[in-house]
Amino acid sequence: MDTRSKQHETIPFSRPSLTGEEFDYLKRVFEIGKFSGKGYFSKSCREWFAQHYGTSSVLMTPSCTHALEIAAMLTEVGSADEVILPSFTFTSTATAFVRCGASLVFVDIRPDTMNIDPEQIEKAITNRTKVIVTMDYAGVACDYDRINEIARAHGLTVVEDAAQALLCSYNGKWCGTLGDLGCLSFHETKNLHCGEGGALVTGNQAYFVRAEIIQEKGTDRSRFLRGEVDKYTWQDVGSSYELSEINGSILRCQLEQAKTIMDDRRRSWEIYQDLLTPLARNGQIGVPHVPQHCVHNGHIYYIKTRDKTDRDALIAFLKARGAQSTFHYVPLHSAPAGRRFGRFHGEDRWTTVESEKLLRLPLYYRMEEAHVVRVAEAVKEYYGYNRGHSSTLTPPVPQSAD
Ligand SMILES: *Cc1c(COP(=O)(O)O)cnc(C)c1O
């Protein structure tokens, strides 16, 4: 065997987390013989949240997208209303509200965290504004002190898309509990997963009661299951928004290992940050900024290149060095549906330029330290850092790995 092929084994961008015990948990579902929602494991996942987040107002859903849809329905936004949100986010943040007929008002982000800029929110408020939707990018919380202050002053509801922010915190409070309604994701690309899964969190009892009904096809089946009513009937609008026991068992297994998985990812994140900060000091790249009062979960490690051309050249260079890297998001306001369903308020000072600079490096549970180092060294090589701290930004010509 060619030893070079092992050394140059391609480092994937991402790998779904696995603890190795998922099968044992899944087997329990077959032993119990209940497969649909609101069974042993769904309850057990909620108990985990009660224990760790100190709230029992959590509903397990088939995805974060579905949790966002329930949240949008609870806010009762309609065609007369406007929803303020960042343009730098995943489509689900927007589609949940578009389904209700609302108009989207995109505002700019802050370049340091890539999160929505509260000052831009305030400027975009009209008498039609009903909801603010935030997204905690890379598991780093938005500025909720300011956002909630603005929301209170204008009587607006805050929906937090915390899809990336499981076990992240802001001023000692959990992400997902920072607005009126919070949505989490357990998609296989997230830190913990069950293939597809999500959760809705709310501290508002009226929302919780209604969410349980929406989740159960518009019926009060949840109350029936608790013995609070002797039969269940159609009460409200709704859909089928339950996490199945099959998915729930796998999620419960991973929740058991939550701390280990987060610590492992944060360790890789820190290695990247240590190795690449010198390039940032040189002014050659940007590295992530985590505000003092925020704790993140190592979900994403990104750097900022000079511009789109520099980024695309670096992606090709890393690929030739055997590492996959990627970027996101194409700003929603520039996408066909974004133009149709919304408008950008104010100046697009950062959203487009900063998203074009952003490059995500490989990061996953149990990523070998040597691989993290290899990727970071390849980035340094690209910028000529190891050749006398050259300040030139001209990329070397990519070489083939073979
Ligand atoms: C992953 C993600 C979602 C969607 O989560 P699903 O569970 O796949 O529906 C929504 N918003 C953001 C910001 C995400 O990163």
Side-chain angles (χ1 to χ4, degrees):
M1 193 185 126
D2 182 2
T3 49
R4 278 181 66 224
S5 67
K6 172 80 182 155
Q7 193 189 340
H8 289 281
E9 164 196 356
T10 296
I11 301 169
F13 169 68
S14 175
R15 264 185 191 153
S17 306
L18 284 174
T19 68
E21 284 163 30
E22 283 80 1
F23 252 132
D24 299 333
Y25 279 71
L26 184 58
K27 233 168 72 195
R28 280 290 293 150
V29 180
F30 286 77
E31 285 162 11
I32 295 168
K34 172 159 173 57
F35 300 87
S36 64
K38 289 253 155 73
Y40 172 81
F41 282 109
S42 168
K43 230 180 271 166
S44 166
C45 288
R46 292 179 60 189
E47 276 159 16
W48 185 91
F49 277 99
Q51 231 170 52
H52 295 268
Y53 276 46
T55 173
S56 49
S57 299
V58 175
L59 292 179
M60 304 313 299
T61 62
S63 69
C64 178
T65 304
H66 286 106
L68 284 160
E69 289 179 14
I70 301 173
M73 287 161 92
L74 291 169
T75 65
E76 296 198 311
V77 283
S79 53
D81 306 312
E82 289 176 352
V83 171
I84 296 174
L85 74 168
S87 174
F88 181 76
T89 185
F90 188 62
T91 54
S92 300
T93 321
T95 54
F97 293 87
V98 165
R99 289 175 72 257
C100 301
S103 304
L104 305 180
V105 178
F106 298 108
V107 299
D108 214 2
I109 49 169
R110 297 164 44 135
D112 58 349
T113 56
M114 302 299 279
N115 283 336
I116 195 166
D117 180 350
E119 304 322 311
Q120 301 308 317
I121 296 176
E122 190 153 52
K123 287 182 196 154
I125 293 172
T126 70
N127 54 16
R128 292 177 60 198
T129 309
K130 197 161 183 173
V131 178
I132 299 167
V133 194
T134 60
M135 191 273 273
D136 304 325
Y137 182 63
V140 175
C142 303
D143 180 0
Y144 286 97
D145 281 347
R146 187 74 187 105
I147 291 168
N148 285 324
E149 181 182 62
I150 293 166
R152 269 194 301 274
H154 296 270
L156 308 175
T157 304
V158 177
V159 176
E160 180 186 4
D161 181 346
Q164 303 174 4
L166 182 72
L167 288 172
C168 297
S169 64
Y170 171 83
N171 283 331
K173 284 187 227 144
W174 294 116
C175 287
T177 69
L178 299 166
D180 299 289
L181 291 151
C183 304
L184 297 166
S185 174
F186 305 111
H187 185 268
E188 74 163 39
T189 51
K190 302 302 196 285
N191 287 20
L192 297 192
H193 78 99
C194 55
E196 303 255 12
L200 178 74
V201 188
T202 181
N204 178 317
Q205 189 56 22
Y207 276 155
F208 182 75
V209 168
R210 192 159 181 230
E212 272 196 330
I213 291 170
I214 291 172
Q215 180 185 40
E216 283 278 12
K217 296 99 174 169
T219 75
D220 56 355
R221 181 167 172 271
S222 298
R223 296 191 61 200
F224 169 73
L225 291 176
R226 288 195 296 266
E228 293 166 16
V229 286
D230 58 8
K231 62 178 184 346
Y232 67 89
T233 53
W234 186 22
Q235 302 284 334
D236 202 342
V237 294
S239 188
S240 182
Y241 287 141
E242 287 280 359
L243 182 71
S244 91
E245 283 293 284
I246 296 170
N247 295 41
S249 65
I250 292 167
L251 179 58
R252 180 59 218 192
C253 171
Q254 298 216 345
L255 285 169
E256 214 60 65
Q257 303 289 323
K259 194 178 175 324
T260 310
I261 295 172
M262 303 294 168
D263 286 349
D264 179 87
R265 291 185 76 119
R266 266 195 294 255
R267 181 188 52 88
S268 297
W269 192 101
E270 293 292 348
I271 296 171
Y272 275 134
Q273 188 79 342
D274 285 349
L275 292 176
L276 296 174
T277 294
L279 282 187
R281 286 212 196 94
N282 257 11
Q284 290 172 297
I285 62 166
V287 292
H289 168 69
V290 181
Q292 282 272 285
H293 47 276
C294 294
V295 177
H296 73 95
N297 58 5
H299 177 55
I300 288 174
Y301 189 84
Y302 68 87
I303 60 170
K304 300 262 191 76
T305 58
R306 186 183 49 204
D307 55 25
K308 194 167 179 296
T309 310
D310 188 31
R311 178 183 74 187
D312 294 347
L314 179 51
I315 291 174
F317 182 83
L318 292 175
K319 189 167 173 236
R321 289 284 180 279
Q324 292 177 352
S325 59
T326 189
F327 59 85
H328 68 178
Y329 300 98
V330 174
L332 295 182
H333 76 280
S334 66
R339 288 200 297 269
R340 196 155 111 227
F341 299 121
R343 61 184 167 85
F344 196 96
H345 182 90
E347 187 196 345
D348 172 9
R349 183 158 172 220
W350 304 112
T351 300
T352 300
V353 287
E354 294 300 300
S355 68
E356 288 180 348
K357 290 178 182 176
L358 192 140
L359 180 67
R360 299 175 62 187
L361 300 181
L363 185 55
Y364 43 89
Y365 178 46
R366 287 183 170 154
M367 183 169 173
E368 283 172 53
E369 187 171 331
H371 284 182
V372 182
V373 172
R374 216 175 94 194
V375 175
E377 293 301 333
V379 173
K380 287 167 105 172
E381 186 190 349
Y382 171 85
Y383 283 107
Y385 184 74
N386 294 329
R387 290 197 293 271
H389 295 236
S390 152
S391 62
T392 171
L393 288 169
T394 313
V397 180
Q399 291 159 11
S400 159
D402 46 47

